[in-house]
Amino acid sequence: RGSLFSALHRATQRGPSIASLRNNREISCSAWGQSNNQLTSQITSTRCVSRAAIINNDNTGVSRRFSSRPEKKSMLRLHAVTLKHSDYEDELDEARWDVPEEETHLDPTDRRKMEEEEEATWWLYDGTQESRDVLAAMRKEEAQKARWIKNSSPPVRVSEIDERGRAYGRGSRKSAQARVWIQPGEGEVVVNRQDFLTLFPREYHREHILGPLVASQTCGKFDVTAVVKGGGLTGQAGAIRLGLARALEKYNPDYRPPMKRHGFLTRDARMVERKKVGRVKARKSPQWVRR
């Protein structure tokens, strides 16, 4: 106890400082001019667990904190907060904010499909996430199958006849372009206001043009009027045949299968191959001489 009083006496004479005691305890003194009895009673009654020593000055009333740890920032909001102008009364009618749920009215067909799906998958659904994933995968697969079936089904074809009772078709072959009109008649074929027998003297070209009429078994039932330009006789004959086949298909879609089977509705994509450098034509080479 004597060493304790001597340490306190030296601390009070030196001025405000930290008094190091046994067991690493620190004490705070409210007034430095107190007697030894008062200090003793304060030592026995005060136990400070913190490592910071707070020293109060009786003249200024300012507390000083000695600690190596930084002070914690205050969580008190000191900056200004902007509030929007509005009505903040609590006595508002809350019923007006209640939006009633809209009832979904399904088509009878869709409702029946949904019920059939539920009946077919009732054993699979047990409320877990795995069952939901399985059901979603099944529905996605069924939708994909339905889409495949829809895309694989042939399109609905209808007749396209103008006010004059004609059907129109356009064809091309190589660099030749042809426009063809057909209408019920006696089987007359006119190309560029000329009889096609005069314009196409070769038998091969004539048979080539009349191929769609033979395939659809409509020879002598339609009058054909064609306007063709560009290319040679072979290209013009091929363009007229494609235009005639398309016109017959638009006049009556039932003519399509036999013409499609013979390839009359397919555009021939073959073109003249370009000339190469160092050759006479596309493939022909110049004559080679040894000496």
Side-chain angles (χ1 to χ4, degrees):
R1 183 175 293 184
S3 61
L4 181 61
F5 284 124
S6 61
L8 286 173
H9 182 65
R10 289 195 299 270
T12 53
Q13 288 182 353
R14 283 198 303 267
S17 63
I18 301 174
S20 301
L21 304 177
R22 293 182 181 179
N23 300 328
N24 294 330
R25 294 180 180 178
E26 299 173 350
I27 63 172
S28 62
C29 301
S30 61
W32 292 99
Q34 296 177 353
S35 61
N36 293 336
N37 295 331
Q38 294 175 352
L39 291 174
T40 306
S41 61
Q42 186 177 0
I43 290 170
T44 55
S45 60
T46 307
R47 292 183 180 179
C48 302
V49 226
S50 174
R51 292 187 178 182
I54 303 175
I55 303 173
N56 300 327
N57 191 351
D58 54 353
N59 297 327
T60 60
V62 180
S63 63
R64 302 177 183 176
R65 180 179 296 272
F66 299 91
S67 174
S68 60
R69 294 182 300 177
E71 295 183 2
K72 294 184 179 180
K73 293 184 178 180
S74 175
M75 300 302 293
L76 180 63
R77 186 185 297 274
L78 300 178
H79 59 275
V81 179
T82 304
L83 298 178
K84 295 182 180 179
H85 297 285
S86 180
D87 187 5
Y88 294 98
E89 295 181 1
D90 296 336
E91 298 179 358
L92 294 176
D93 187 10
E94 298 181 357
R96 65 181 179 178
W97 301 105
D98 298 338
V99 181
E101 297 181 358
E102 298 182 359
E103 297 182 359
T104 56
H105 300 281
L106 296 177
D107 187 71
T109 306
D110 298 339
R111 188 182 297 276
R112 185 168 58 255
K113 289 182 180 179
M114 185 180 298
E115 292 176 357
E116 292 177 358
E117 183 182 0
E118 291 179 356
E119 292 179 0
T121 58
W122 66 267
W123 55 272
L124 184 60
Y125 182 73
D126 57 355
T128 60
Q129 184 63 31
E130 290 78 5
S131 60
R132 295 192 188 96
D133 296 341
V134 172
L135 284 175
M138 291 176 59
R139 290 169 182 167
K140 184 177 180 181
E141 185 179 358
E142 291 177 359
Q144 188 176 12
K145 289 181 179 179
R147 188 163 57 251
W148 286 345
I149 294 173
K150 182 179 178 181
N151 294 338
S152 62
S153 60
V156 179
R157 304 181 185 276
V158 295
S159 299
E160 299 180 13
I161 303 174
D162 59 5
E163 62 278 0
R164 299 175 61 179
R166 301 181 305 176
Y168 170 76
R170 180 182 176 277
S172 60
R173 170 77 169 95
K174 294 184 179 179
S175 59
Q177 305 288 332
R179 294 179 296 167
V180 182
W181 292 268
I182 62 170
Q183 58 185 355
E186 298 178 356
E188 183 180 0
V189 180
V190 177
V191 180
N192 291 343
R193 298 183 180 182
Q194 302 179 24
D195 189 5
F196 87 115
L197 298 177
T198 305
L199 192 61
F200 298 98
R202 297 181 183 177
E203 191 71 22
Y204 167 76
H205 292 155
R206 300 174 185 176
E207 294 178 357
H208 197 72
I209 292 173
L210 299 178
L213 296 174
V214 176
S216 59
Q217 299 179 0
T218 55
C219 292
K221 296 182 180 180
F222 293 99
D223 289 340
V224 181
T225 303
V227 177
V228 62
K229 60 182 179 179
L233 293 179
T234 303
Q236 290 181 355
I240 294 172
R241 187 183 75 166
L242 180 59
L244 178 59
R246 290 178 176 176
L248 287 171
E249 178 194 3
K250 289 184 179 180
Y251 190 88
N252 188 356
D254 295 339
Y255 296 154
R256 177 182 173 83
M259 292 190 298
K260 184 71 174 177
R261 194 179 307 114
H262 290 84
F264 294 146
L265 292 173
T266 303
R267 204 292 194 184
D268 193 349
R270 294 177 297 173
M271 300 291 289
V272 178
E273 189 176 352
R274 67 173 293 270
K275 179 184 177 302
K276 308 300 188 303
V277 177
R279 296 183 181 272
V280 178
K281 296 196 299 183
R283 304 289 179 90
K284 184 179 179 180
S285 300
Q287 184 177 2
W288 179 79
V289 182
R290 180 185 293 268
R291 297 179 180 87

